[in-house]
């Protein structure tokens, strides 16, 4: 009986093992089918990803080109602005120099006016003195007190004085 019980027990275990094996085979078959489906799905995704990758690559390439063009334009604008800045700095410096020179010219013109007025004043005084000397000489001649040589000497003396006055 124990042998029969062992046999029955072994049969039950065998049946249980067969059922477990059958269940495991079904699970393996299901897993294989799932793997096959997933493999096909992955292939589809890879194709789609490849297409999306190409589209994204083209988009990124276009964006990169656009950014490069914008950068080149910005660099060109910067260089142009830098050049304009240098030119403006030179113009500002020249404007300041012109302003200084204008002030110097105005001061020189004022001095020239003063010198012109002084010159006119000296000339007027010289003419006045010349008239006075001439009148005095005429009066002396009339009075007969001067001889021709004396008169010439006085005249030369007066001219020398006038010339000395002009020099100083």
């Amino acid at each position: 009986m124990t042998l029969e019980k062992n046999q029955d027990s072994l049969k039950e275990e065998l049946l249980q093992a067969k059922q477990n094996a059958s269940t495991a085979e079904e699970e393996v078959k299901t897993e294989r089918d799932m793997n096959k489906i997933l493999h096909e799905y992955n292939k589809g995704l890879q194709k789609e990803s490849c297409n999306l990758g190409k589209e994204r690559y083209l988009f990124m390439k276009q964006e990169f080109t656009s950014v490069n063009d914008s950068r080149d334009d910005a660099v060109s604008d910067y260089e142009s602005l830098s050049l304009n800045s240098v030119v403006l700095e030179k113009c500002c410096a020249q404007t300041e120099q012109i302003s200084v020179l204008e002030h110097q010219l105005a001061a020189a013109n004022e001095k020239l006016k003063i010198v012109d007025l002084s010159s006119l004043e000296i000339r007027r005084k010289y003419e006045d003195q010349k008239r006075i000397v001439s009148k005095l000489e005429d009066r002396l001649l009339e009075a007969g007190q001067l001889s021709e040589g004396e008169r010439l000497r006085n005249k030369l003396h007066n001219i020398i004085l006038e010339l000395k006055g002009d020099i100083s």
Side-chain angles (χ1 to χ4, degrees):
M1 247 262 253
T2 45
L3 195 56
E4 282 181 19
K5 278 186 184 180
N6 275 342
Q7 230 180 6
D8 283 340
S9 165
L10 283 175
K11 281 184 184 178
E12 280 181 35
E13 281 182 32
L14 180 63
L15 183 63
Q16 186 69 29
K18 283 184 181 179
Q19 284 177 350
N20 285 344
S22 176
T23 304
E25 282 180 14
E26 285 179 21
E27 285 178 4
V28 167
K29 185 179 177 193
T30 304
E31 287 293 322
R32 282 185 186 151
D33 289 343
M34 283 298 282
N35 277 343
K36 190 175 180 183
I37 290 170
L38 286 174
H39 183 68
E40 292 298 320
Y41 180 72
N42 276 342
K43 276 186 178 178
L45 283 178
Q46 285 176 347
K47 284 182 183 177
E48 214 175 293
S49 175
C50 187
N51 288 340
L52 285 175
K54 285 181 184 176
E55 288 175 12
R56 187 165 185 201
Y57 169 76
L58 292 174
F59 174 76
M60 295 292 278
K61 184 179 178 182
Q62 184 180 12
E63 285 294 311
F64 180 74
T65 303
S66 175
V67 167
N68 266 348
D69 291 345
S70 294
R71 180 190 54 97
D72 290 345
D73 290 345
V75 167
S76 176
D77 289 348
Y78 173 76
E79 289 171 350
S80 176
L81 288 174
S82 293
L83 182 62
N84 286 345
S85 174
V86 168
V87 169
L88 283 175
E89 286 175 4
K90 286 182 181 177
C91 284
C92 286
Q94 288 175 347
T95 302
E96 289 174 11
Q97 286 177 338
I98 288 172
S99 178
V100 168
L101 290 173
E102 284 175 342
H103 288 297
Q104 289 175 350
L105 179 62
N109 282 337
E110 284 300 316
K111 287 179 183 177
L112 185 60
K113 284 180 186 177
I114 292 170
V115 168
D116 283 345
L117 289 175
S118 294
S119 173
L120 287 174
E121 182 66 24
I122 289 171
R123 217 174 259 267
R124 187 185 59 77
K125 286 180 181 178
Y126 168 75
E127 293 297 326
D128 287 346
Q129 287 177 356
K130 189 176 174 183
R131 270 185 254 130
I132 291 171
V133 167
S134 180
K135 286 180 183 177
L136 288 174
E137 285 178 349
D138 288 343
R139 284 171 69 194
L140 284 175
L141 272 177
E142 289 173 3
Q145 296 176 355
L146 289 179
S147 66
E148 186 68 31
E150 186 67 22
R151 194 172 55 100
L152 183 60
R153 188 191 68 74
N154 281 341
K155 190 173 184 179
L156 288 174
H157 177 72
N158 288 335
I159 291 173
I160 289 172
L161 289 177
E162 289 174 12
L163 290 174
K164 281 184 181 179
D166 287 344
I167 291 173
S168 56

